């Protein structure tokens, strides 16, 4: 990238400059919880429409093969916010005390504070567990904590003897203004309307939905009647290795319970999936409210926007619910970057990336010093040219010793006991056929295996409160 006079020359394109040479970019950092890839942003045939995410993608670059670092809230968010993988830190689980593991590690936000930014945030940014004890107060100058869950007085479905309140779903609350995410969006809208005078802004917006329980205001259920449970294979576990069955054994209650409930109350499974779709639409609408405020802001043309989800979510695929797995559906996420003057509007990049790229990329985009300890690499070359060379695959971890490697075509999984899975996404996008025992694919599997961590930190203790 080079500047000539008042014109920015970028990749052979001539575009108007977006800011004075000495000014700094603002950052709008949007995190969504549990949003998978079955949305219209990533799947044109999906009945789950996300027009506001698509609207944001039209302003910048959509990464069509983006993956979380870990398919669970705490390790995913801790890794994304610190730039260090679970295998480096030992933060593998939802209760892992991430700050104890990294007492001196600067978060993304702390880097920006040190560079003179005013850092504000609201909602779910760090893992919301143990009454918010995982939140990092020092990472923000001002933060609005996630509002308490507005729970109905009783279960809304007929699953009175199934799971917990967290497995409930339905139209609730009656007023959109009483939701967690509406209040989070309100805070962010106000921050965009009144940016700090003479200082750049880093604004973190944490949208909680579509995280369970699947409650959304009634109007968001109006367009989900055509949403049906995704296709699944009745004997999908027949070719799973021992490591997969061991890792997922503690989560099997959710699938078994839903199947039992659906027999007792026909339509429960479909209702559950439709409620997830309603929550996705609701989350998209809250993102839209924040984008409206950005559009109205005088600083819109010098605001970098990064939108991501902490992990995906299974809705019955591979006979599994929630995340906590190393398959595609638990890990494939929406990821959008808008870098004014750099990203071509409406561009798409198919290179496989995981969210370890966010930390070094934001530092580079905003002219901050690089952090050499980062486990990920900056994607600025891809933001400039979606076809630029990119040799790294995406790497995901769930629990010590369990990893997945995703290249453009293949997903390789190795478990702590050494057992493996290998899927061809060109011919088997639903991962129904495990090819790990194919002798003719041994060399290809070995190429993926070499990206696994060479060393793995011991698991840090859980946070107790």
């Amino acid at each position: 990238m080079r500047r000539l006079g008042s014109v920015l020359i970028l990749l052979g394109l001539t575009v108007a400059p977006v800011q004075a040479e000495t000014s700094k970019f603002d950052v709008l950092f949007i995190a969504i919880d549990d949003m998978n890839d079955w949305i219209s942003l990533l799947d044109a045939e999906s009945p789950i429409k996300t027009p506001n995410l698509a609207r944001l993608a039209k302003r910048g670059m959509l990464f069509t093969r983006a993956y979380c670092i870990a398919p669970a809230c705490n390790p995913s968010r801790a890794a994304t916010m610190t730039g260090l993988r679970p295998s480096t830190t030992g933060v593998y689980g939802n209760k892992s005390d991430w700050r104890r593991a990294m007492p001196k590690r600067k978060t993304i936000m702390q880097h920006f504070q040190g560079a003179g930014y005013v850092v504000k945030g609201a909602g779910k940014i760090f893992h919301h567990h143990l009454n918010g004890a995982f939140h990092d107060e020092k990472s923000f100058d001002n933060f609005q904590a996630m509002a308490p869950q507005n729970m109905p007085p009783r279960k809304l479905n007929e699953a009175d003897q199934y799971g917990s309140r967290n497995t409930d779903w339905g139209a609730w609350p009656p007023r959109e203004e009483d939701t967690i995410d509406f209040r989070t969006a309100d805070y962010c809208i106000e921050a965009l309307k009144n940016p700090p005078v003479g200082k750049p802004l880093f604004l973190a917006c944490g949208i909680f939905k579509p995280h369970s329980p699947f409650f959304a205001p009634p109007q968001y259920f109006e367009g989900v009647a055509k949403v049906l449970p995704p296709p699944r294979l009745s004997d999908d576990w027949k070719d799973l290795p021992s490591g997969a069955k061991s890792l997922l054994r503690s989560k099997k209650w959710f699938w078994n319970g839903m199947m039992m409930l659906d027999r007792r109350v026909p339509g429960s499974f479909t209702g559950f999936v439709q409620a997830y779709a309603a929550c996705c639409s609701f989350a998209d609408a809250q993102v839209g409210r924040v984008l409206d405020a950005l559009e109205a802001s005088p600083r819109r043309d010098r605001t970098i926007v990064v939108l991501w989800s902490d992990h995906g979510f299974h809705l019955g695929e591979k006979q599994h619910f929630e995340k906590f797995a190393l398959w595609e559906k638990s890990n494939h996420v929406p990821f959008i970057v808008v870098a004014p003057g750099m990203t071509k509007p409406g561009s798409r990049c198919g290179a496989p990336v995981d969210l370890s790229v966010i930390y070094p990329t934001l530092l580079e985009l905003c002219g901050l010093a690089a952090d050499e300890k980062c486990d990920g690499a900056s994607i600025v070359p891809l933001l400039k040219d979606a076809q630029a060379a990119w040799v790294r695959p995406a790497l995901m971890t769930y629990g010590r010793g369990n990893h997945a490697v995703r290249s453009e075509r293949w997903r390789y999984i190795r478990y702590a006991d050494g057992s493996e899975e290998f899927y061809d996404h060109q011919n088997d996008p639903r991962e129904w056929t495990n090819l790990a025992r194919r002798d003719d694919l041994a060399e290809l599997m070995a190429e993926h295996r070499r990206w696994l961590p060479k060393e793995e930190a011991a698991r840090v203790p859980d946070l107790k409160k």
Side-chain angles (χ1 to χ4, degrees):
M1 183 172 67
R2 57 192 178 94
R3 294 185 182 276
L4 296 178
S6 61
V7 178
L8 180 68
I9 306 300
L10 177 64
L11 303 177
L13 301 176
T14 303
V15 296
V18 295
Q19 61 178 44
E21 189 72 38
T22 57
S23 62
K24 292 183 178 180
F25 287 105
D26 286 355
V27 176
L28 175 58
F29 185 79
I30 304 174
I32 304 178
D33 204 332
D34 279 25
M35 184 170 279
N36 71 14
D37 59 1
W38 193 33
I39 53 176
S40 59
L41 174 73
L42 290 166
D43 179 359
E45 298 180 359
S46 172
I48 305 177
K49 305 304 178 185
T50 49
N52 290 296
L53 270 61
R55 167 183 159 202
L56 177 62
K58 289 179 180 178
R59 292 189 57 193
M61 181 174 287
L62 169 66
F63 286 82
T64 58
R65 292 188 183 93
Y67 298 88
C68 63
I69 304 171
C73 293
N74 184 48
S76 170
R77 290 168 182 266
T80 302
M81 240 64 74
T82 64
L84 300 178
R85 297 186 182 280
S87 54
T88 299
T89 66
V91 179
Y92 296 110
N94 264 349
K95 296 180 181 179
S96 299
D97 190 345
W98 75 268
R99 235 338 162 195
R100 179 176 176 178
M102 298 174 276
K104 297 182 180 180
R105 177 65 177 170
K106 286 185 178 180
T107 63
I108 294 174
M109 289 73 74
Q110 287 175 311
H111 269 290
F112 279 84
Q113 285 175 321
Y117 277 70
V118 173
V119 178
K120 295 185 175 184
K124 185 173 179 180
I125 300 300
F126 291 93
H127 184 35
H128 188 75
H129 183 66
L130 297 175
N131 297 318
F134 284 76
H135 176 68
D136 193 53
E137 185 176 349
K138 293 182 179 179
S139 289
F140 299 91
D141 299 305
N142 185 270
F143 189 82
Q144 176 180 284
M146 197 171 102
Q149 179 85 277
N150 189 343
M151 300 287 279
R154 58 180 176 78
K155 282 203 168 189
L156 296 182
N157 58 75
E158 298 185 54
D160 295 329
Q161 298 179 15
Y162 168 58
S164 66
R165 292 301 298 271
N166 212 39
T167 61
D168 198 6
W169 68 89
W172 184 269
R175 284 172 18 101
E176 187 170 10
E177 293 81 358
D178 294 330
T179 62
I180 292 171
D181 292 325
F182 191 93
R183 296 169 185 171
T184 293
D186 268 355
Y187 176 96
C188 295
I189 290 167
E190 186 62 26
L192 291 169
K193 285 182 177 179
N194 298 285
V197 177
K199 288 189 175 183
L201 172 68
F202 186 109
L203 177 62
C205 176
I207 302 298
F208 180 58
K209 293 301 176 185
H211 194 287
S212 59
F214 294 157
F215 297 140
Q219 62 267 36
Y220 294 99
F221 282 81
E222 294 173 1
V224 301
K226 295 182 179 180
V227 179
L228 299 175
R232 60 188 188 276
L233 198 63
S234 60
D235 58 349
D236 205 359
W237 280 45
K238 72 179 186 306
D239 58 359
L240 294 188
S242 56
K245 294 176 181 178
S246 176
L247 185 67
L248 294 166
R249 186 175 295 120
S250 65
K251 307 301 177 184
K252 197 64 177 173
W253 67 268
F254 203 156
W255 170 260
N256 292 337
M258 179 60 76
M259 294 302 99
M260 180 176 62
L261 172 64
D262 199 54
R263 289 191 294 269
R264 181 162 58 88
V265 186
S268 294
F269 187 4
T270 297
F272 180 80
V273 173
Q274 290 176 344
Y276 177 83
C279 289
C280 286
S281 296
F282 167 72
D284 179 78
Q286 303 317 304
V287 171
R289 295 179 62 226
V290 175
L291 294 183
D292 287 344
L294 177 63
E295 292 290 336
S297 168
R299 292 158 75 156
R300 57 156 290 184
D301 290 330
R302 57 185 183 91
T303 298
I304 292 167
V305 186
V306 175
L307 180 144
W308 55 286
S309 177
D310 59 351
H311 44 69
F313 197 92
H314 281 250
L315 292 166
E317 300 93 341
K318 298 196 76 67
Q319 301 176 17
H320 181 64
F321 284 115
E322 288 195 298
K323 43 272 186 177
F324 311 127
L326 287 168
W327 298 313
E328 185 83 358
K329 192 59 63 173
S330 285
N331 294 271
H332 192 199
V333 296
F335 179 41
I336 301 168
V337 180
V338 179
M342 182 176 292
T343 49
K344 182 180 178 182
S347 56
R348 298 164 67 93
C349 180
V353 300
D354 62 62
L355 298 185
S356 67
V357 303
I358 290 180
Y359 192 112
T361 299
L362 278 176
L363 296 184
E364 183 173 357
L365 286 175
C366 295
L368 279 62
D371 189 317
E372 300 301 327
K373 293 184 179 180
C374 282
D375 285 329
S378 170
I379 52 170
V380 165
L382 293 175
L383 296 176
K384 293 178 179 180
D385 178 5
Q387 303 301 318
W390 183 260
V391 298
R392 291 171 173 242
L395 174 64
M396 294 132 273
T397 298
Y398 181 54
R400 190 170 189 262
N402 305 300
H403 309 282
V405 176
R406 182 63 157 88
S407 58
E408 287 193 9
R409 179 173 173 176
W410 305 89
R411 171 172 291 272
Y412 168 75
I413 305 173
R414 191 188 70 180
Y415 296 97
D417 67 356
S419 60
E420 299 169 305
E421 293 175 69
F422 199 48
Y423 296 104
D424 178 0
H425 271 260
Q426 179 174 292
N427 298 306
D428 181 24
R430 301 189 188 279
E431 299 181 335
W432 283 348
T433 304
N434 179 13
L435 304 174
R437 294 183 178 179
R438 285 258 303 263
D439 292 339
D440 59 321
L441 297 175
E443 184 175 344
L444 187 57
M445 288 176 61
E447 291 178 10
H448 287 73
R449 195 180 297 122
R450 72 184 183 90
W451 291 98
L452 297 176
K454 302 298 185 293
E455 297 181 4
E456 298 188 58
R459 177 168 179 156
V460 300
D462 289 349
L463 178 66
K464 294 180 173 58
K465 185 180 179 183

